[in-house]
Amino acid sequence: MNILIATMPFDGHFDPLTGIAADLRDHGHDVRWYAGPHYQPKLDALGIPFFPFVRASEITGDNIADVCPERAALKGPQLISFDAEMIFIANVEHHFRDIAEIKSGFDFQAFFCDAALYAQALVAAKLDVPVYTVAPGPLLVANREVPPPFFGLRPPKTPVGALVHRGVRIMLDRTMRPAVRRYRDILTAEGVTPIPADRFLDVAGVCAYRRYLWGAPCLDFPQLRVPANSEFVGPLSPPRTDHGPGAALPAVVTDGQRTVVAVSQGTVDNEDPTKLIVPAIEALRADPDTLVVVTTGGKNTADLRRRFPEPNVLIEDRLPYEHLFDHADVFVTNGGAGSVLAAMRHGVPVVCAGKTEGKNDINARVGYNRLGIDLRTERPSARRIAAAVATVRSDEHIARNVANAREQLASFRPFETIRRHLDEQRAASAIDPAV
């Protein structure tokens, strides 16, 4: 079967589909990928043929500040509104034109994408191709039992809390109106029935043949009602390799002589290391029995090394989490979905401190499910980090929950599930050509 994969140009959206691509290719499918040029080296390394953005522009974690300088001054609802319209919707027509042109030369029978690629509705309706969507974070659904997204809220415990959530939903609806209006105009111009306004954040729930959910039920709020076309499939980890830059960890990480605390401030909101990296190092460096392993995402690495020359502080641009977490005892993070999921998969409790890009929603789930500690800020003090690390290392309740999460994640067979759905789709198509 010919399969095209397409993703928004962010690592957290791209990485979860790499394992799917490699598995489908290894089982005989012709798998190709539509992505921004930033991702060509990764695709070349995977051996996946690459179609670059032609009409669409590429906004990544590396260039977003240069391409959208006005974004730096925005916060809260204004930032949410800007990102929704200018990053996720503005490119929809260009993505679709590129993908339609690809289909004229590569007749794909299945289309995989991340949930934030809004061109998926046009692919499903106009190219008549089944869409398989991967949610790179918590499911965004019109489910009133689950808190509204983007604000790090937890399920309400009182009528007052429920009233607050109602107010946030009203405010969020107003915030999203420019993006919703623009998206509905695009679909209408293409002759496609517009997505209902209250399903804007749940576009895959409307148009996807199947939607694969991040992680496992134990990582989400128990009040979540999963839609009929959706299911949890586990970690969807990138292919694990034992070669390449950074694959061999330094011996100081693997020798088991110290408690290893991994620290990350993500790959987008990492320009200012004083938010999390600096206070985390300051919190932990005084203990010679603790090794602080920092990954910077390539930002400020040399400056941080000069500032923190202690032998128990290791600072690198990047390290492979699938290897690092084999040896880590605690993970201090701003709450990236992929990295938190990798920690849970390896049974590593987390200390979370992040508020942007939906990370506060990840962190709220971590705290609510007692998988670690949510500090509910993006600028925690060194004192709070030190106390939180000590707590997650000693709290038996957290340890049990993390162990249960690891066991639940290990029980999934995501690639087998996806291949089974493809086989079902192919069989249905053979019976009914309209499918």
Side-chain angles (χ1 to χ4, degrees), residues 212-236:
Y212 303 115
L213 306 184
W214 172 87
C218 65
L219 304 184
D220 213 314
F221 296 127
Q223 296 86 353
L224 176 68
R225 289 183 278 109
V226 177
N229 71 338
S230 308
E231 65 183 292
F232 286 99
V233 290
L236 284 177

Side-chain angles (χ1 to χ4, degrees), residues 277-296:
I277 289 176
V278 169
I281 297 174
E282 290 176 340
L284 304 168
R285 62 175 172 169
D287 180 4
D289 293 326
T290 296
L291 177 68
V292 186
V293 181
V294 178
T295 54
T296 67

Side-chain angles (χ1 to χ4, degrees), residues 51-76:
F51 295 108
F53 288 2
V54 177
R55 298 164 182 83
S57 58
E58 183 181 45
I59 301 175
T60 71
D62 291 333
N63 72 9
I64 192 169
D66 296 325
V67 176
C68 306
E70 67 275 32
R71 185 177 182 270
L74 304 176
K75 293 182 179 180

Side-chain angles (χ1 to χ4, degrees), residues 250-270:
V252 69
V253 178
T254 62
D255 63 15
Q257 298 301 306
R258 293 180 169 123
T259 297
V260 176
V261 179
V263 178
S264 170
Q265 198 177 302
T267 58
V268 177
D269 188 27
N270 59 355

